[in-house]
Amino acid sequence: MSVTFGEFVFDTDDRELRKGKTHLDVSPRALQLLVVLLQARPRVITKLEVMKEMRSAGPISEARVSALVAELRGALGED
């Protein structure tokens, strides 16, 4: 399945984020964060909720979540 937002497409099956036809280089953990955020939309979720959802792939700290948010924002061209 593909999720489109703005000029971006996230292929949930292949775990690939694209801008137009260009593949964006994003870490698997950042893509996991994107899945969590997309599943929660349009609701805003807390960092603690994000951490709880992401723990299935191993422990994660608040600092790591912040770094992953920064990684996604960079890939999406956001400040």
Side-chain angles (χ1 to χ4, degrees), residues 19-65:
K19 182 178 181 181
K21 293 185 179 187
T22 304
H23 169 81
L24 300 176
D25 189 28
V26 181
S27 71
R29 225 29 186 168
L31 291 177
Q32 182 188 14
L33 171 60
L34 182 57
V35 168
V36 169
L37 296 174
L38 289 171
Q39 288 176 340
R41 71 184 172 155
R43 188 174 69 84
V44 175
I45 61 174
T46 66
K47 192 181 288 186
L48 291 177
E49 288 174 292
V50 168
M51 291 170 63
K52 181 180 176 184
E53 292 295 322
M54 293 186 69
R55 280 198 179 122
S56 64
I60 188 162
S61 67
E62 284 188 50
R64 183 67 179 132
V65 171

